[in-house]
Amino acid sequence: MITKNLQDAFNEQINKELYSEYLYLSMATWFDAENLPGFASFFKIQVQEERFHAMKIYDFVNERGGRVILEKINKPQINFKSALAIFEMAYKHEQFISKSINELMDVSIEENDHATKSFLNWFIDEQVEEEASMDAIVGKLKMLGGNGHGLLMIDNELGTRVFTPPTN
Ligand code: FEO
């Protein structure tokens, strides 16, 4: 059984994951409007990843005898300056999520809750990937420096991304 303290913190994390889903969907809409379907597809897959994260926590809270409570999801930003501005924002957002997961880990250590620590290890590893994937694209976009042909090449490359639900 998780404590009320951890239950509240997990419910906040579910909200952050659902907000991430919404933010990335908003980024996808911008790319679709800009006729960059590969970038849009990348973010639509990211949307599925975020829903997976939210549901993984949802299931854990239930398994540990807690109660999932859904709160309002904030409205995401709609307009963006450029592809680079979007990926810089996504990278910063993933750093914020990593910090939030680390704080959850701090609480589970304080409470000596080993099952929660074990569960959160998956998210700590996942966040390394989440940050790295956004940062790698920031790097590529910076190298281009506004080159339209290069942007289309990255669009083609990102369009090949597929969603593979993690097995554990
Ligand atoms: Fe759920 Fe992108 O972290």
Side-chain angles (χ1 to χ4, degrees):
M1 182 111 188
I2 49 170
T3 60
K4 170 82 170 53
N5 193 25
L6 262 178
Q7 175 186 290
D8 291 347
F10 271 123
N11 276 320
E12 275 179 35
Q13 190 63 36
I14 289 173
N15 187 270
K16 286 174 189 162
E17 301 293 346
L18 293 175
Y19 173 74
S20 304
E21 179 183 348
Y22 216 30
L23 175 66
Y24 294 144
L25 189 59
S26 185
M27 290 172 173
T29 67
W30 188 86
F31 282 116
D32 268 325
E34 292 288 315
N35 294 315
L36 290 165
F39 280 99
S41 168
F42 173 92
F43 276 106
K44 286 173 197 167
I45 286 163
Q46 194 60 35
V47 161
Q48 293 181 72
E49 292 255 347
E50 300 306 343
R51 173 59 62 95
F52 181 88
H53 295 165
M55 292 311 295
K56 194 172 172 76
I57 298 169
Y58 179 114
D59 289 341
F60 181 73
V61 169
N62 273 325
E63 269 171 15
R64 299 291 312 282
R67 170 79 160 91
V68 173
I69 294 162
L70 300 179
E71 298 289 349
K72 187 180 91 172
I73 302 167
N74 288 334
K75 183 177 175 177
Q77 186 170 326
I78 298 164
N79 293 312
F80 305 93
K81 212 175 73 192
S82 64
L84 176 60
I86 286 184
F87 277 91
E88 282 178 335
M89 186 189 216
Y91 178 46
K92 213 169 144 198
H93 183 69
E94 288 303 333
Q95 289 177 312
F96 162 73
I97 296 293
S98 299
K99 186 168 174 281
S100 179
I101 295 286
N102 287 340
E103 285 165 3
L104 266 167
M105 182 61 107
D106 290 342
V107 177
S108 65
I109 289 168
E110 272 164 32
E111 296 192 1
N112 216 13
D113 184 336
H114 296 287
T116 298
K117 284 192 281 179
S118 173
F119 172 75
L120 285 171
N121 275 329
W122 185 90
F123 277 90
I124 286 177
D125 294 343
E126 175 74 357
Q127 280 312 119
V128 173
E129 274 179 45
E130 292 279 274
E131 284 189 32
S133 86
M134 296 302 179
D135 190 32
I137 300 166
V138 167
K140 281 185 186 180
L141 288 168
K142 275 186 177 164
M143 260 191 324
L144 287 179
N147 175 327
H149 180 66
L151 198 65
L152 289 179
M153 273 174 55
I154 299 180
D155 190 61
N156 277 336
E157 184 192 324
L158 294 185
T160 61
R161 184 186 188 193
V162 289
F163 177 64
T164 319
T167 48
N168 55 355

